[in-house]
Amino acid sequence: MISNDTFKISRERMVTQQLIPRGIYDEKVINAMKKAPRHLFVDEALYDQAYGDFPLPIGWGQTISQPYIVALMTQELELKGDEKVLEIGTGSGYQAAVLAEIVKKVYSVERISALIPRAKKILSEIGYNNVLIRVDDGTFGWEKESPFDAILVTAASPKIPEPLIKQLSDNGGRLLIPVGDKFSQNLIKIKKTDGKIKKENKGGVRFVKLIGEHGWKS
Ligand code: SAH
């Protein structure tokens, strides 16, 4: 049996070998990656692979991103700690846990209802009580709770869903989303200030499809 301490060492190694050399410098992100127990979000048979430099299957044809991508996206959100963040694509709940380590409140939407009970259970067992999860087509965002200081889409879309731009805070809100075709995408970062949109390309990524009204139709 592998003890929890073994995983603590695995997380430290993940940070020093995979994250810092590739440009993860934000202390808040580094601490969150050192703390969030990634192994608990995958199947027990995969525990010993959980801190490897690759994505892992979480069932229903979906994957949990490689640790570096989770860290990069979180860092690009430029979080200070007092933000209200929306995640689209809860999946295993791991990215939500990393966000919950840093910010006050995380809202997360997942379209596959079967994934939700496990994500909720693990998050509450670990004690992340600041994550709210809902089943829905996340391409519509979460209007009732908007505006959001930051929005993170963890699935790839052919275009940026209009409702997400609308629900972004006008006061420097940040949106990160992989945009492209089914096989490869660019990580697009949007900043919204006084109704104006600034767009940046953060490089090539590969995500599963964002399926919904303002994403892929199937
Ligand atoms: N962030 C997750 C990994 C996400 S994989 C984690 O940390 O484990 C992408 C997820 O997006 C999948 O679970 C998929 O079902 C979900 N998804 C795809 N289209 C969606 C949509 N329109 N709304 C909400 N979730 C969606």
Side-chain angles (χ1 to χ4, degrees):
M1 204 186 126
I2 307 165
S3 78
N4 263 331
D5 274 338
T6 310
F7 290 119
K8 188 167 188 273
I9 292 165
S10 308
R11 279 196 294 280
E12 296 274 343
R13 201 180 298 133
M14 169 187 85
V15 167
T16 53
Q17 296 181 354
Q18 302 169 33
L19 308 187
I20 293 171
R22 288 183 180 132
I24 302 301
Y25 57 81
D26 185 328
E27 281 301 326
K28 289 187 288 310
V29 177
I30 288 172
N31 286 334
M33 297 297 291
K34 278 186 187 167
K35 273 177 90 178
R38 179 172 163 98
H39 63 284
L40 297 179
F41 293 89
V42 297
D43 197 272
E44 208 167 335
L46 298 174
Y47 274 14
D48 60 350
Q49 293 183 57
Y51 300 97
D53 194 13
F54 39 76
L56 287 170
I58 55 171
W60 286 271
Q62 307 303 318
T63 53
I64 175 172
S65 300
Q66 172 193 14
Y68 166 64
I69 295 294
V70 172
L72 176 69
M73 290 182 94
T74 309
Q75 178 166 278
E76 288 295 344
L77 290 177
E78 299 173 45
L79 303 169
K80 303 265 182 295
D82 56 351
E83 291 92 345
K84 189 174 172 184
V85 180
L86 173 66
E87 177 195 25
I88 309 302
T90 315
S92 68
Y94 173 64
Q95 173 75 69
V98 171
L99 293 168
E101 282 285 350
I102 301 174
V103 301
K104 251 202 312 230
K105 188 93 196 185
V106 180
Y107 296 83
S108 188
V109 186
E110 171 57 54
R111 73 177 271 274
I112 301 178
S113 58
L115 285 167
I116 294 183
R118 189 171 189 277
K120 276 191 175 165
K121 181 168 176 279
I122 303 291
L123 287 164
S124 84
E125 276 173 11
I126 307 168
Y128 293 114
N129 300 316
N130 55 342
V131 183
L132 208 61
I133 298 174
R134 197 182 86 173
V135 62
D136 202 356
D137 173 2
T139 67
F140 288 107
W142 193 325
E143 192 172 9
K144 203 169 133 261
E145 295 295 344
S146 67
F148 296 96
D149 303 299
I151 301 178
L152 179 55
V153 184
T154 63
S157 183
K159 60 176 194 288
I160 302 170
E162 201 53 49
L164 299 185
I165 297 180
K166 281 214 183 88
Q167 291 170 32
L168 204 53
S169 155
D170 226 4
N171 189 19
R174 288 86 69 198
L175 165 68
L176 269 169
I177 178 168
V179 178
D181 61 31
K182 288 166 204 159
F183 308 105
S184 72
Q185 307 94 32
N186 285 309
L187 187 56
I188 302 297
K189 179 174 178 175
I190 297 265
K191 240 188 203 182
K192 187 175 165 190
T193 317
D194 300 328
K196 279 206 208 91
I197 299 295
K198 206 184 97 199
K199 216 189 259 188
E200 268 179 278
N201 183 348
K202 292 291 167 180
V205 285
R206 188 172 179 174
F207 276 80
V208 295
K209 281 201 279 181
L210 180 75
I211 300 173
E213 181 63 28
H214 301 275
W216 294 100
K217 299 290 181 206
S218 63

